[in-house]
Amino acid sequence: MTFWGNVERILVSSQSKTHLTVAPLLTRRPIPITVDNRFDEVQRPDWVENYPARVQAFFAAPHRAVGGWEPAAHALQRFLDGLHAHLRPGAPTAALVGHGLVLSLYRAYLLGLPTADFAAWRQLGFAAVAEVELDGPTWIADFSAAVASPPRSP
C-alpha cells in the first residue's frame, strides 16, 4: 500500500480489466478515477493462436498491422496522447492502470529502444508497478510485482 499512499488520482483504460484491478484499493481508499480509451490495450482480434509469437511479431514491426493488430506505433502514439492530455510535470501524483502491450511500448519509448523488448514483456506480471518521472519523462524504476502473478505462458 506504500505506493498507493502517494497517489492522488488514477487513470484507467475503458476496458473492464483496469477497473477490476483498482476496485479492491478503492474500497479502502477512495481516489478519483479518470477513464480514457487512449489507455486501452492494443486493438486486435479477439483470439489468436500462439499469442506470444504474435506479440513478438507485433513488437518487431511497429509500423505494420501484424495479423490484424493495431500497429505498435499507432498504439504508442494513442497512449502518449492520453498521457499528454492528463499529466503535466508538477501535477498531482497519478497512477496509470493499463495493459501490458502498450505499457511495454511506452517503456521502450522512454528507454530509447527501437522496439519493445519481448523478453521484458514475458517477465511483466499481471500486477506490476513501474515509476516514471514526468519532467523528463524518465523511466525511474522498472516493473516489479505489486502482488504475485503467474508467469506468461510460453
Side-chain angles (χ1 to χ4, degrees), residues 57-65 70-74 105 114-115:
F58 166 76
F59 286 158
H63 297 283
R64 288 198 342 248
E70 172 184 28
H74 180 269
L105 296 172
T115 61

Side-chain angles (χ1 to χ4, degrees), residues 10-11 23-24 28 39 42 47 49 58 67 76 108-109 119 128 137 143 145 148:
I10 301 173
L11 304 172
R28 293 180 283 167
F39 301 127
V42 172
W47 179 259
E49 295 295 327
F58 166 76
L76 174 60
Y109 168 80
F143 287 106

Side-chain angles (χ1 to χ4, degrees), residues 59 76 101-118 120 139 142-143:
F59 286 158
L76 174 60
L101 293 175
V102 291
L103 290 172
S104 294
L105 296 172
Y106 183 57
R107 176 184 181 274
Y109 168 80
L110 289 184
L111 294 175
L113 303 173
T115 61
D117 183 338
F118 178 72
W139 192 261
D142 210 350
F143 287 106

Side-chain angles (χ1 to χ4, degrees), residues 41 44 48-56 69 101 121 152:
E41 182 60 289
R44 59 186 190 263
V48 295
E49 295 295 327
N50 198 356
Y51 185 74
R54 183 62 56 88
V55 170
Q56 194 167 23
W69 289 27
L101 293 175
W121 171 81
R152 296 187 186 274

Side-chain angles (χ1 to χ4, degrees), residues 128-151:
V129 175
E131 183 180 356
V132 174
E133 174 57 53
L134 294 176
D135 288 335
T138 306
W139 192 261
I140 301 295
D142 210 350
F143 287 106
S144 63
V147 297
S149 72

